[in-house]
Amino acid sequence: MGKYGHLAMSTDREASELIASDLKEMRDAAKKLVDHAIKLGSFGLGTTILECVASFAAIYLLVLDRTHWRTNMLTSLLIPYIFLSLPSLLFTILRGEIGKWVAFVAVVLRLFFPRHFPDWLEMPGALILLIVVAPSLFASTIKGSWIGVLICLAIACYLLQEHIRASGGFRNSFTKAHGISNTVGLLILFVYPAWALVLDIL
């Protein structure tokens, strides 16, 4: 009886040690899962915020160009930039029924009331049309990939160098009357693609 009692005690001890080690592994795995979820969530939130900032900077530059602060920049490049950097939620809303109605109204106004269609609505109308009619290759595949990020980065680089050249140098782009606002807006355009590329590399 003593021999069987000793075997039962050693078996119970081994089983309790195995359970304890399993619980420790589960606790470590849960900690890792929580850490990774927090990191992923913060990266996703950070990317969404930077997409918003970059899109609003591009819209701001479009507004500046359409007002009396006209520049020599090729601001039509801001339309594909906004298309590629627009936050997913807003992009989905504009690609749905709301965007279709806005695009329909813009086309009807442009066709039948061209004198009442202001010039400053040309670019926003083109953006809405681009969002609504873009094939899924652009709207889903390229927009969310590193190719779209590289296109955004190339547009930002081109616009910044054109602005610096038109201002007569980097220093002049910060000292001229309306140069500072354009330069700051153009520098903000780099924030989202740079962050997205860093995340892609990591």
Side-chain angles (χ1 to χ4, degrees):
M1 188 74 179
K3 186 176 179 182
Y4 290 120
H6 179 68
L7 281 173
M9 282 176 51
S10 65
T11 307
D12 288 345
R13 192 180 307 124
E14 286 174 9
S16 63
E17 286 174 4
L18 285 173
I19 290 173
S21 70
D22 288 345
L23 287 174
K24 185 179 180 299
E25 286 177 12
M26 285 176 57
R27 195 179 319 121
D28 293 342
K31 280 183 185 176
K32 283 183 185 177
L33 179 67
V34 169
D35 286 343
H36 293 165
I38 289 171
K39 284 180 185 174
L40 185 63
S42 63
F43 284 149
L45 181 64
T47 303
T48 303
I49 290 171
L50 291 179
E51 281 177 340
C52 290
V53 169
S55 297
F56 287 128
I59 292 167
Y60 168 73
L61 289 169
L62 270 179
V63 169
L64 280 185
D65 190 61
R66 295 296 160 203
T67 59
H68 62 282
W69 293 8
R70 289 194 177 272
T71 62
N72 294 326
M73 289 189 302
L74 187 60
T75 50
S76 57
L77 283 175
L78 290 170
I79 298 301
Y81 183 94
I82 296 169
F83 175 84
L84 292 169
S85 67
L86 206 61
S88 300
L89 179 65
L90 190 56
F91 187 82
T92 305
I93 290 170
L94 290 176
R95 197 157 164 80
E97 286 299 314
I98 294 172
K100 288 176 185 174
W101 274 103
V102 172
F104 175 74
V105 170
V107 169
V108 167
L109 284 175
R110 188 73 180 93
L111 281 175
F112 299 111
F113 307 101
R115 291 183 183 171
H116 300 290
F117 194 81
D119 289 341
W120 58 268
L121 271 180
E122 291 285 336
M123 292 289 187
L127 175 64
I128 293 293
L129 278 174
L130 185 64
I131 289 172
V132 170
V133 303
S136 59
L137 173 69
F138 290 101
S140 304
T141 311
I142 292 178
K143 183 183 182 323
S145 71
W146 60 271
I147 298 172
V149 171
L150 284 179
I151 292 170
C152 286
L153 195 59
I155 290 171
C157 289
Y158 177 76
L159 290 176
L160 183 63
Q161 70 93 18
E162 284 296 309
H163 173 63
I164 290 171
R165 183 185 298 169
S167 301
F170 189 74
R171 183 177 293 172
N172 289 342
S173 66
F174 280 99
T175 55
K176 282 191 174 178
H178 302 304
I180 298 172
S181 57
N182 288 329
T183 307
V184 169
L186 287 167
L187 289 174
I188 292 173
L189 294 184
F190 284 91
V191 173
Y192 160 68
W195 172 259
L197 278 180
V198 166
L199 286 185
D200 239 16
I201 291 168
L202 293 178

